[in-house]
Amino acid sequence: MSTTAAVPREHLEDPLAYLPCSRILQYSKGQFIYSREHPPSSLNLVIEGKVKVLRISANGQQIVVDIYHEDEIFGETVFLGGQATQEEAVALEQTKLMTWSLAAVVEIMGREPRLGIALCQIMAQRTLDFGERLESFSVDNIARRLARNLIRFSERLGEAGTDGTVQMMPFTHELLSQVVGTSREIITHYMNQFRRQGYLQYSRRISIYREALREWLRQPAV
């Protein structure tokens, strides 16, 4: 499976260079930021905490689009102008967001066209990432999909440990099941299998041996 190369940061516009300080909203753990019934009315920047963005499939299954953390922007469906979508955003922990209304973002882009370029770059990179995930859904079994997502989250949300592991935020098996597209019980089965095989450790936090897991993914699927 191909891997999308990350665009060098020096080639990217920073949207925060053009977005002025705005109002800050606070959300408690589990609180909806927007939902199907109340689509996003603003573009959001995570100041503190973490946010889960998910979509609801035709059969009612929740699929996690991504998890956004400090200094990341989400809520781009605001550009649909209030049109109802199947997307929802939920605070995973105590969270602070800085928000800009659609009208404010459009007005700023009129004065600072590079903000539009910066937002397009973010959307383009996310589209590439989503394409890889769709490819994984098509060709990988559940164990390999889980491994790829553990690696992806460790790169974005992990901290290098002193023992060669990468320590990640607390992930429930329910949350991982929504990312991978399966049941919590199946995630528990494969997490236990990966732990027995020495690819990860976990109690409250997950610590993965990322390079070992990458090497396992290089081997032909059985």
Tab-separated table of all heavy atoms in Angstrom, residues 179-206:
chain	number	residue	atom	x	y	z
A	179	VAL	N	-12.943	4.076	14.623
A	179	VAL	CA	-11.925	4.473	13.646
A	179	VAL	C	-11.734	3.389	12.591
A	179	VAL	O	-11.675	3.663	11.386
A	179	VAL	CB	-10.581	4.760	14.355
A	179	VAL	CG1	-9.467	4.998	13.328
A	179	VAL	CG2	-10.701	5.961	15.286
A	180	VAL	N	-11.657	2.144	13.037
A	180	VAL	CA	-11.335	1.021	12.157
A	180	VAL	C	-12.555	0.533	11.393
A	180	VAL	O	-12.446	0.011	10.282
A	180	VAL	CB	-10.692	-0.118	12.982
A	180	VAL	CG1	-10.469	-1.370	12.132
A	180	VAL	CG2	-9.368	0.357	13.575
A	181	GLY	N	-13.747	0.714	11.979
A	181	GLY	CA	-14.966	0.253	11.327
A	181	GLY	C	-15.303	-1.179	11.654
A	181	GLY	O	-15.572	-1.992	10.767
A	182	THR	N	-15.288	-1.503	12.947
A	182	THR	CA	-15.617	-2.865	13.381
A	182	THR	C	-16.212	-2.772	14.781
A	182	THR	O	-16.575	-1.695	15.239
A	182	THR	CB	-14.373	-3.768	13.339
A	182	THR	OG1	-14.756	-5.116	13.630
A	182	THR	CG2	-13.309	-3.331	14.328
A	183	SER	N	-16.293	-3.900	15.479
A	183	SER	CA	-16.873	-3.908	16.820
A	183	SER	C	-15.790	-3.748	17.884
A	183	SER	O	-14.604	-4.024	17.648
A	183	SER	CB	-17.633	-5.212	17.062
A	183	SER	OG	-16.719	-6.295	17.160
A	184	ARG	N	-16.215	-3.317	19.071
A	184	ARG	CA	-15.284	-3.187	20.190
A	184	ARG	C	-14.667	-4.526	20.552
A	184	ARG	O	-13.475	-4.607	20.881
A	184	ARG	CB	-16.019	-2.598	21.396
A	184	ARG	CG	-15.153	-2.437	22.638
A	184	ARG	CD	-15.964	-1.929	23.816
A	184	ARG	NE	-17.080	-2.821	24.129
A	184	ARG	CZ	-16.951	-3.965	24.825
A	184	ARG	NH1	-15.758	-4.351	25.252
A	184	ARG	NH2	-18.014	-4.705	25.080
A	185	GLU	N	-15.451	-5.595	20.468
A	185	GLU	CA	-14.940	-6.917	20.842
A	185	GLU	C	-13.809	-7.362	19.915
A	185	GLU	O	-12.821	-7.963	20.371
A	185	GLU	CB	-16.082	-7.942	20.813
A	185	GLU	CG	-17.135	-7.755	21.889
A	185	GLU	CD	-18.125	-6.639	21.601
A	185	GLU	OE1	-18.141	-6.137	20.451
A	185	GLU	OE2	-18.887	-6.270	22.517
A	186	ILE	N	-13.938	-7.065	18.633
A	186	ILE	CA	-12.892	-7.459	17.686
A	186	ILE	C	-11.625	-6.636	17.922
A	186	ILE	O	-10.503	-7.162	17.851
A	186	ILE	CB	-13.396	-7.320	16.237
A	186	ILE	CG1	-14.470	-8.383	15.972
A	186	ILE	CG2	-12.258	-7.450	15.232
A	186	ILE	CD1	-15.118	-8.294	14.608
A	187	ILE	N	-11.794	-5.340	18.226
A	187	ILE	CA	-10.629	-4.515	18.552
A	187	ILE	C	-9.914	-5.072	19.780
A	187	ILE	O	-8.685	-5.167	19.815
A	187	ILE	CB	-11.050	-3.055	18.792
A	187	ILE	CG1	-11.492	-2.404	17.484
A	187	ILE	CG2	-9.911	-2.256	19.428
A	187	ILE	CD1	-10.416	-2.292	16.426
A	188	THR	N	-10.679	-5.451	20.804
A	188	THR	CA	-10.074	-6.027	22.008
A	188	THR	C	-9.277	-7.274	21.665
A	188	THR	O	-8.159	-7.476	22.176
A	188	THR	CB	-11.172	-6.362	23.037
A	188	THR	OG1	-11.837	-5.160	23.427
A	188	THR	CG2	-10.584	-7.033	24.272
A	189	HIS	N	-9.820	-8.122	20.785
A	189	HIS	CA	-9.112	-9.347	20.370
A	189	HIS	C	-7.758	-9.016	19.753
A	189	HIS	O	-6.724	-9.597	20.131
A	189	HIS	CB	-9.978	-10.121	19.380
A	189	HIS	CG	-9.249	-11.225	18.673
A	189	HIS	ND1	-8.965	-12.435	19.275
A	189	HIS	CD2	-8.729	-11.289	17.412
A	189	HIS	CE1	-8.303	-13.205	18.423
A	189	HIS	NE2	-8.142	-12.537	17.285
A	190	TYR	N	-7.731	-8.068	18.819
A	190	TYR	CA	-6.478	-7.771	18.121
A	190	TYR	C	-5.518	-6.949	18.986
A	190	TYR	O	-4.298	-7.104	18.857
A	190	TYR	CB	-6.762	-7.055	16.797
A	190	TYR	CG	-7.266	-8.006	15.731
A	190	TYR	CD1	-8.557	-7.907	15.236
A	190	TYR	CD2	-6.452	-9.024	15.245
A	190	TYR	CE1	-9.030	-8.793	14.280
A	190	TYR	CE2	-6.911	-9.916	14.285
A	190	TYR	CZ	-8.197	-9.792	13.814
A	190	TYR	OH	-8.653	-10.683	12.874
A	191	MET	N	-6.039	-6.110	19.870
A	191	MET	CA	-5.146	-5.395	20.782
A	191	MET	C	-4.450	-6.381	21.716
A	191	MET	O	-3.248	-6.257	21.992
A	191	MET	CB	-5.935	-4.362	21.580
A	191	MET	CG	-6.395	-3.163	20.763
A	191	MET	SD	-5.050	-2.097	20.205
A	191	MET	CE	-4.649	-1.256	21.734
A	192	ASN	N	-5.175	-7.372	22.203
A	192	ASN	CA	-4.557	-8.403	23.037
A	192	ASN	C	-3.528	-9.206	22.241
A	192	ASN	O	-2.461	-9.561	22.756
A	192	ASN	CB	-5.625	-9.334	23.600
A	192	ASN	CG	-6.455	-8.673	24.689
A	192	ASN	OD1	-6.001	-7.743	25.348
A	192	ASN	ND2	-7.678	-9.154	24.882
A	193	GLN	N	-3.848	-9.467	20.972
A	193	GLN	CA	-2.914	-10.211	20.116
A	193	GLN	C	-1.639	-9.402	19.889
A	193	GLN	O	-0.520	-9.938	19.997
A	193	GLN	CB	-3.576	-10.522	18.780
A	193	GLN	CG	-2.683	-11.289	17.809
A	193	GLN	CD	-3.450	-11.704	16.560
A	193	GLN	OE1	-4.403	-12.474	16.629
A	193	GLN	NE2	-3.050	-11.163	15.419
A	194	PHE	N	-1.766	-8.114	19.583
A	194	PHE	CA	-0.591	-7.262	19.387
A	194	PHE	C	0.242	-7.177	20.667
A	194	PHE	O	1.472	-7.147	20.611
A	194	PHE	CB	-1.019	-5.849	18.970
A	194	PHE	CG	-1.464	-5.737	17.535
A	194	PHE	CD1	-2.268	-4.683	17.138
A	194	PHE	CD2	-1.067	-6.655	16.577
A	194	PHE	CE1	-2.680	-4.556	15.817
A	194	PHE	CE2	-1.474	-6.548	15.251
A	194	PHE	CZ	-2.275	-5.495	14.872
A	195	ARG	N	-0.437	-7.161	21.822
A	195	ARG	CA	0.307	-7.107	23.080
A	195	ARG	C	1.077	-8.407	23.299
A	195	ARG	O	2.254	-8.377	23.692
A	195	ARG	CB	-0.652	-6.847	24.246
A	195	ARG	CG	0.051	-6.753	25.594
A	195	ARG	CD	-0.810	-6.085	26.650
A	195	ARG	NE	-2.090	-6.737	26.827
A	195	ARG	CZ	-3.001	-6.329	27.710
A	195	ARG	NH1	-2.770	-5.267	28.459
A	195	ARG	NH2	-4.148	-6.958	27.818
A	196	ARG	N	0.458	-9.538	23.017
A	196	ARG	CA	1.162	-10.821	23.165
A	196	ARG	C	2.346	-10.914	22.222
A	196	ARG	O	3.374	-11.521	22.560
A	196	ARG	CB	0.194	-11.990	22.918
A	196	ARG	CG	-0.839	-12.199	24.013
A	196	ARG	CD	-1.522	-13.543	23.862
A	196	ARG	NE	-2.207	-13.672	22.575
A	196	ARG	CZ	-3.459	-13.333	22.349
A	196	ARG	NH1	-4.191	-12.826	23.334
A	196	ARG	NH2	-4.005	-13.493	21.159
A	197	GLN	N	2.213	-10.329	21.048
A	197	GLN	CA	3.286	-10.377	20.058
A	197	GLN	C	4.365	-9.336	20.309
A	197	GLN	O	5.376	-9.314	19.614
A	197	GLN	CB	2.695	-10.175	18.654
A	197	GLN	CG	1.808	-11.329	18.205
A	197	GLN	CD	1.051	-11.018	16.930
A	197	GLN	OE1	0.741	-9.860	16.640
A	197	GLN	NE2	0.745	-12.047	16.155
A	198	GLY	N	4.169	-8.486	21.307
A	198	GLY	CA	5.192	-7.520	21.690
A	198	GLY	C	5.192	-6.234	20.895
A	198	GLY	O	6.178	-5.482	20.945
A	199	TYR	N	4.090	-5.934	20.189
A	199	TYR	CA	4.042	-4.707	19.394
A	199	TYR	C	3.547	-3.506	20.198
A	199	TYR	O	3.728	-2.369	19.772
A	199	TYR	CB	3.142	-4.890	18.169
A	199	TYR	CG	3.681	-5.892	17.176
A	199	TYR	CD1	2.920	-6.997	16.798
A	199	TYR	CD2	4.946	-5.750	16.634
A	199	TYR	CE1	3.405	-7.918	15.898
A	199	TYR	CE2	5.451	-6.667	15.734
A	199	TYR	CZ	4.670	-7.754	15.369
A	199	TYR	OH	5.154	-8.672	14.474
A	200	LEU	N	2.911	-3.749	21.334
A	200	LEU	CA	2.420	-2.637	22.144
A	200	LEU	C	2.235	-3.073	23.582
A	200	LEU	O	2.238	-4.259	23.903
A	200	LEU	CB	1.114	-2.078	21.569
A	200	LEU	CG	-0.100	-3.021	21.383
A	200	LEU	CD1	-0.864	-3.242	22.685
A	200	LEU	CD2	-1.050	-2.445	20.358
A	201	GLN	N	2.102	-2.066	24.442
A	201	GLN	CA	1.739	-2.268	25.841
A	201	GLN	C	0.590	-1.304	26.120
A	201	GLN	O	0.500	-0.260	25.482
A	201	GLN	CB	2.901	-1.914	26.782
A	201	GLN	CG	4.252	-2.496	26.419
A	201	GLN	CD	5.363	-1.832	27.232
A	201	GLN	OE1	5.122	-1.249	28.287
A	201	GLN	NE2	6.580	-1.911	26.727
A	202	TYR	N	-0.263	-1.655	27.035
A	202	TYR	CA	-1.242	-0.662	27.447
A	202	TYR	C	-1.856	-1.025	28.780
A	202	TYR	O	-2.017	-2.183	29.129
A	202	TYR	CB	-2.327	-0.449	26.386
A	202	TYR	CG	-3.279	-1.609	26.146
A	202	TYR	CD1	-4.442	-1.758	26.889
A	202	TYR	CD2	-3.026	-2.543	25.139
A	202	TYR	CE1	-5.318	-2.794	26.649
A	202	TYR	CE2	-3.889	-3.595	24.893
A	202	TYR	CZ	-5.038	-3.707	25.645
A	202	TYR	OH	-5.899	-4.745	25.410
A	203	SER	N	-2.123	0.028	29.520
A	203	SER	CA	-2.966	-0.059	30.711
A	203	SER	C	-4.016	1.018	30.488
A	203	SER	O	-5.026	0.782	29.837
A	203	SER	CB	-2.142	0.183	31.986
A	203	SER	OG	-1.396	1.375	31.882
A	204	ARG	N	-3.745	2.244	30.965
A	204	ARG	CA	-4.650	3.350	30.638
A	204	ARG	C	-4.232	3.990	29.311
A	204	ARG	O	-5.060	4.327	28.487
A	204	ARG	CB	-4.639	4.390	31.753
A	204	ARG	CG	-5.614	5.535	31.519
A	204	ARG	CD	-5.704	6.452	32.734
A	204	ARG	NE	-6.575	7.588	32.459
A	204	ARG	CZ	-6.149	8.743	31.957
A	204	ARG	NH1	-4.868	8.905	31.670
A	204	ARG	NH2	-7.003	9.730	31.738
A	205	ARG	N	-2.917	4.147	29.119
A	205	ARG	CA	-2.386	4.691	27.878
A	205	ARG	C	-1.793	3.580	27.032
A	205	ARG	O	-1.314	2.578	27.558
A	205	ARG	CB	-1.307	5.745	28.168
A	205	ARG	CG	-1.833	7.019	28.788
A	205	ARG	CD	-0.711	7.886	29.316
A	205	ARG	NE	0.209	8.286	28.267
A	205	ARG	CZ	0.141	9.472	27.646
A	205	ARG	NH1	-0.793	10.329	27.971
A	205	ARG	NH2	1.023	9.792	26.719
A	206	ILE	N	-1.826	3.780	25.720
A	206	ILE	CA	-1.248	2.805	24.795
A	206	ILE	C	0.171	3.234	24.460
A	206	ILE	O	0.422	4.393	24.142
A	206	ILE	CB	-2.081	2.715	23.503
A	206	ILE	CG1	-3.497	2.248	23.810
A	206	ILE	CG2	-1.417	1.779	22.496
A	206	ILE	CD1	-4.435	2.315	22.617
